[in-house]
Amino acid sequence: EPKIKESIKDLSIFKKSFLLLVFTMGFFLLRAQYCIPTVSGSVVNVGITNVSFSNVNNNTPAPEGYADYTGDTAIVIKGSVYNLSVTHADRMVSRVWIDWNQDFDFNDAGEMAFYFDERFLLAAVYTKTIPVTIPLTATLGFTRMRVSGIEDNFAQPDTCNNPEGDVEDYIVDIRQQNMVYDSTTTVQYTYSCVTPGDYQRIFLGITLTTTGH
């Protein structure tokens, strides 16, 4: 009987701990959200018209204010380099942020992946392409990419406020590099004398060199 009571007590403690864990995770998920950008105005025919990154190539209307394109996922591999292109209708200042460490903001060092000031160019439509290297320290899994373009008469865009222009959100799926075979090194060992039962001698050494995991 004492053992039964002790087991019931242990079960009760486990249930309380489990409920506390579920509550904590739920509270975190409710609070851990990306800010929804504020776009206070727009100009006819001025805005982002295309975003291309990895397998994503998305044509968009201009202007559109804030647009959620998180149904589009760019798949990238750690350590690899991908071209990131942004096309504007009319002259704008654009920035792209990627939340590499998945902490639900774009304020960490290195998270502004793209910057271009197009205000002094004469072209009505302009595409800028910048190579982006996926950091080896990036957290694996799904994260957010935010593309922001602001009309040329206003200040620089930030991650949550755009006085006049477009903001678009996308998903980036960060994956680990697959293991790739690089080379093989073979070393042969020779011995002048081998005694019967000498099973600890190494006669042939083979080393495989790979990249990735």
Side-chain angles (χ1 to χ4, degrees), residues 115-127:
Y115 171 80
F116 186 64
D117 188 343
E118 191 192 330
R119 290 176 295 175
F120 305 105
L121 299 177
L122 298 178
V125 178
Y126 195 87
T127 299

Side-chain angles (χ1 to χ4, degrees), residues 5-206:
K5 291 182 177 180
E6 184 176 345
S7 298
I8 294 174
K9 182 180 178 181
D10 292 342
L11 181 60
S12 177
I13 294 174
F14 172 78
K15 288 173 65 178
K16 290 180 180 179
S17 300
F18 178 75
L19 290 174
L20 178 61
L21 176 63
V22 171
F23 175 80
T24 302
M25 292 179 63
F27 181 75
F28 174 78
L29 290 174
L30 287 174
R31 289 181 58 87
Q33 298 179 0
Y34 291 96
C35 63
I36 297 178
T38 300
V39 182
S40 57
S42 61
V43 178
V44 177
N45 296 326
V46 176
I48 300 168
T49 58
N50 180 270
V51 173
S52 297
F53 185 52
S54 185
N55 55 293
V56 168
N57 185 8
N58 190 36
N59 293 314
T60 60
E64 60 182 343
Y66 172 67
D68 185 346
Y69 293 113
T70 53
D72 294 338
T73 301
I75 300 173
V76 298
I77 305 297
K78 277 188 177 186
S80 297
V81 180
Y82 299 86
N83 284 332
L84 172 59
S85 298
V86 178
T87 301
H88 288 143
D90 211 338
R91 294 180 291 276
M92 303 186 77
V93 177
S94 60
R95 291 183 182 181
V96 179
W97 298 270
I98 301 176
D99 182 15
W100 296 124
N101 61 355
Q102 299 179 27
D103 65 345
F104 297 93
D105 64 48
F106 306 96
N107 301 324
D108 300 286
E111 291 193 335
M112 188 175 71
F114 181 105
Y115 171 80
F116 186 64
D117 188 343
E118 191 192 330
R119 290 176 295 175
F120 305 105
L121 299 177
L122 298 178
V125 178
Y126 195 87
T127 299
K128 179 66 175 179
T129 302
I130 294 178
V132 175
T133 301
I134 311 304
L136 295 175
T137 56
T139 302
L140 296 175
F142 297 100
T143 192
R144 185 72 61 99
M145 178 175 75
R146 177 158 293 173
V147 184
S148 179
I150 192 168
E151 206 271 328
D152 63 355
N153 293 325
F154 291 91
Q156 302 284 349
D158 64 34
T159 59
C160 294
N161 297 287
N162 227 32
E164 189 167 289
D166 286 348
V167 181
E168 300 178 359
D169 276 355
Y170 297 85
I171 293 295
V172 177
D173 182 7
I174 303 172
R175 299 183 180 183
Q176 187 65 270
Q177 182 182 17
N178 293 328
M179 184 177 292
V180 177
Y181 168 80
D182 291 329
S183 62
T184 302
T185 303
T186 303
V187 179
Q188 184 175 356
Y189 300 89
T190 58
Y191 298 94
S192 58
C193 180
V194 179
T195 59
D198 193 355
Y199 57 88
Q200 293 182 339
R201 298 279 189 178
I202 299 176
F203 293 93
L204 185 65
I206 301 176

